[in-house]
Structure formats: C-alpha cells, structure tokens
Amino acid sequence: MSVLACFILMALALAIPAAQCAYHLGSRPADGKGTAIPALITEERDGREQPSEIVPNMERMETILNQILLGLLVVLICMGGSCLFLLTSIAGPIHRMANAAKAIADGRLDATAPSIPRNEIGQTGASINELAVNLQEVLLHVWHHTSHATTLLGRTEPELAAGGSPSRSVQKNLEEIRRNIQDVQALVRTFDCYDISLEEGRIESARSSRGEHPSGGPDSRQLRWDLDHSN
Amino acid sequence: MGKRVLIVDDSSIMRKMIRKTIEAENHIIVGEARSGREAIQLYTDLKPDLVTMDITMREVDGFAAAREILEGDPEARIIFLSNLDEEKYSRAAMALGAKGYVNKHRSKEILPLMESA
C-alpha cells in the first residue's frame, strides 16, 4: 500500500469518529422534542417550547456526555492504531533503511536495505541495494583490469631488460604505473563486497575462499564433488 | 535468425552492457532476471533459446538456479557470465551442464559461444 494511501486511511480513521461525535452532539433526540442542546435551555410549557427555568435536563446531559466520551474513546483507539501502523509500516523500515544506507556509504557493500513493504519505502530500499550491487560491479571491473595491467607490467619489464637496459626514465615510468595500480587496488580493497574475496590478481567467491562453495543450493555436496574432481 | 536470450544478473548496469553486446548481433532479449529465483520463474514462462547467468547473486545464486533450470529442462542452454576468474568455477559450470563460461570483463567472448550453443 503506498505511503500516501496509508496517510489518507489514517486521516479517515480519525475523521470518521470525530464526525460521528459532532453528529451526536447536534442530533435530534428520539422523542423529537427539540435538539439536545436547546433542551437544556427550553422546556415544553402550555404546549409550546418556552425558555426553560434553570432546570438542567440531567438525563439528556448524561446521554450527551456518554456520547462524547464514547466518541473520544473511539478517536483514541484509532489514534493508537494509526501510531502502531505508522511505526511498523513507515518508521521501522525507514530506520532500517537509514542504517543500511549508512553501512553502504561506509563501504560495506554486503549490507542490505529492506525492500519490504512494497510501497515507496520498499522501492527506495530496493534502489539502494541496486546501487550497492552496481558499485560492486564497477569495483570488480577496476580490480580485474588493474590486475591484468600488473601482469602485463610483470612481463614487459624482463622483455625490456632482455633487449638491453631500459632507460632510467622508462624504468621510473613503469615503477610509477605499478604504484598507481597498487593505489587504485588499495582503494578497492577498502570496500567489503558481497560474497567476493579479492586475492592477489584474482577475484574469488568469498564462500569458496572459506572452504564453502559458490552454490548454496540443495546439491551443494554435489557441487563440492564437482569442484574437487575438476581439479 | 537471432536467438531469444534471457539475461540473469543482479547488476542493472551489467544487464545493460550484456544487452548491448547481444543485441548488436541481432539476438533478441526476451527477459531480464535480477536473481536466481527470478531466473527460474522467467525461464519457465519465457522458454528462451539461451540464458546468460551470473554466479554471485543474493537469494539464489547462479549455480543453484542453473541446476534447477536444467532439472526442469535438460536441453536448456546456459552460458555463465561471471566475475569469478578461477578456472575451477569454469570447470564446475561445465560439469553442471552449462554450454560455456565467460569472464564478465571479456563479455564479448560470449558471442561465438552463443552461435555454437
């Protein structure tokens, strides 16, 4: 249910009992003899409505007070229900989403924002999760290509040396390229990726690195057999 | 005639990249799944000619999804497209019954595999 629809329902839940209260206060009693409020100040004498002596209509007052109290009770119950609904459907998920967004902003890309309830709040949570997934994807691309560049450097330097000593500036440039790559990779390492372990020059499944396997499915034992026997 | 392809990857930017690569060769993307669970459902609904499957996904990962798809349809053609570049994952994928394993960072290598699958 959308957030707007929730607020509209809550407003109705408060407005309807309040309207009923107002209706009862202004309504004509069953005996048809004037309204509740005028009955306090008029009475029937000689067949006509006359301004009353100061004789309070105790029964009518009691009825009105009871109706007001009942109306107030209903309003209070509705307010309590609305607060509970606000807490569970809106405030709670927003709080969890704020925590997850903070964790992701701090580099913990394995954190998850709530994507339930299925309203604008859930959609925001799902978008935050997608942002984390996409960021992880970019970082893994960076890791892969910088690792590959490091490998190429490793091959290039001996080839250069084999052809005669490379000039000092070439050596210096190669060294600087290597340092730049290491700096970029150090930055990538500051992120905690979901189910990924960044090893020297390669990307592994974190579960595989821990001796578990990439698949959490029901036949995980079969997959372990597959991995072991394929080696 | 282009193949009907289902793309499975939790990253929307990867799905976009794979779509561009595949559509450039006149294949048709019939659906995109964000998780293994969605992939299983969409495979049943769409019956694509080919599935490109990521491995590292939350909820149901690529290996589990591929296993379930192949159990339901042993003729299913699945090509894994993953960040994981250890050869053991490639061997595990082929042992599962996949038609190929490509590293995401060299995603164009999927195109010749699609022709032969």
Side-chain angles (χ1 to χ4, degrees):
Chain A
M1 191 193 292
S2 79
V3 174
L4 182 61
C6 293
F7 279 111
I8 290 171
L9 275 175
M10 274 166 46
L12 285 172
L14 293 172
I16 288 171
Q20 279 186 335
C21 249
Y23 173 77
H24 282 300
L25 280 174
S27 68
R28 189 168 288 273
D31 63 8
K33 292 181 181 175
T35 61
I37 292 171
L40 290 175
I41 57 171
T42 65
E43 60 182 15
E44 198 175 328
R45 285 202 303 260
D46 305 321
R48 290 183 297 143
E49 286 292 326
Q50 305 267 352
S52 168
E53 305 291 336
I54 301 177
V55 176
N57 187 333
M58 294 303 294
E59 278 182 20
R60 287 253 165 85
M61 276 178 69
E62 250 185 69
T63 309
I64 290 162
L65 277 172
N66 284 343
Q67 285 173 347
I68 291 171
L69 284 172
L70 183 66
L72 276 173
L73 188 65
V74 171
V75 167
L76 280 171
I77 290 170
C78 289
M79 278 177 68
S82 301
C83 287
L84 193 65
F85 178 74
L86 260 179
L87 209 61
T88 52
S89 296
I90 296 174
I94 286 179
H95 180 72
R96 287 195 296 278
M97 188 153 42
N99 287 341
K102 174 87 176 52
I104 291 168
D106 287 341
R108 290 192 19 229
L109 302 182
D110 49 353
T112 311
S115 52
I116 292 165
R118 300 200 185 284
N119 54 21
E120 291 88 339
I121 295 170
Q123 285 164 19
T124 306
S127 296
I128 290 173
N129 289 336
E130 195 153 335
L131 186 64
V133 165
N134 285 339
L135 181 55
Q136 176 166 314
E137 203 65 47
V138 169
L139 290 173
L140 293 179
H141 265 73
V142 168
W143 184 270
H144 172 85
H145 290 296
T146 50
S147 299
H148 187 56
T150 305
T151 305
L152 289 175
L153 273 177
R155 286 187 214 150
T156 304
E157 281 159 332
E159 282 179 27
L160 279 173
S165 264
S167 70
R168 189 175 282 256
S169 72
V170 167
Q171 279 180 343
K172 205 172 145 199
N173 289 345
L174 290 174
E175 195 43 49
E176 193 162 333
I177 291 171
R178 191 186 298 282
R179 270 202 306 273
N180 287 345
I181 289 171
Q182 284 168 355
D183 282 348
V184 169
Q185 292 200 328
L187 182 63
V188 172
R189 273 194 192 278
T190 63
F191 288 83
D192 296 327
C193 292
Y194 173 77
D195 191 30
I196 290 288
S197 168
L198 297 175
E199 307 298 329
E200 199 60 49
R202 32 178 230 287
I203 300 170
E204 283 227 17
S205 161
R207 279 179 283 175
S208 180
S209 301
R210 290 195 297 265
E212 300 166 33
H213 6 275
S215 170
D219 287 340
S220 51
R221 274 178 298 178
Q222 176 63 34
L223 181 61
R224 160 149 272 177
W225 187 93
D226 293 339
L227 286 172
D228 290 344
H229 285 74
S230 60
N231 284 332
Chain B
M1 174 91 177
K3 291 197 160 81
R4 296 170 62 251
V5 182
L6 170 65
I7 297 174
V8 183
D9 200 303
D10 55 351
S11 164
S12 59
I13 56 169
M14 271 317 300
R15 292 197 303 270
K16 217 188 272 191
M17 264 181 59
I18 296 166
R19 178 184 272 269
K20 264 180 90 168
T21 303
I22 290 176
E23 282 181 339
E25 299 297 309
N26 298 322
H27 299 294
I28 302 159
I29 307 300
V30 295
E32 294 183 13
R34 289 172 297 183
S35 69
R37 198 187 306 280
E38 259 189 58
I40 294 162
Q41 183 59 51
L42 282 177
Y43 187 88
T44 311
D45 295 341
L46 300 170
K47 290 279 187 282
D49 298 323
L50 194 93
V51 179
T52 70
M53 181 77 77
D54 185 17
I55 294 177
T56 309
M57 292 185 285
R58 301 182 199 218
E59 295 179 31
V60 179
D61 66 46
F63 279 121
R67 187 176 299 109
E68 195 153 332
I69 289 171
L70 285 162
E71 274 172 16
D73 178 6
E75 301 301 311
R77 293 185 198 89
I78 299 174
I79 297 177
F80 281 94
L81 203 62
S82 174
N83 277 310
L84 304 174
D85 49 14
E86 282 286 294
E87 214 179 297
K88 62 184 176 186
Y89 301 111
S90 163
R91 285 196 286 263
M94 302 311 284
L96 201 57
K99 300 299 179 196
Y101 185 100
V102 172
N103 191 292
K104 267 189 203 180
H105 312 290
R106 299 185 295 274
S107 56
K108 289 203 168 133
E109 289 176 9
I110 199 177
L111 296 170
L113 279 176
M114 284 176 68
E115 296 304 325
S116 59

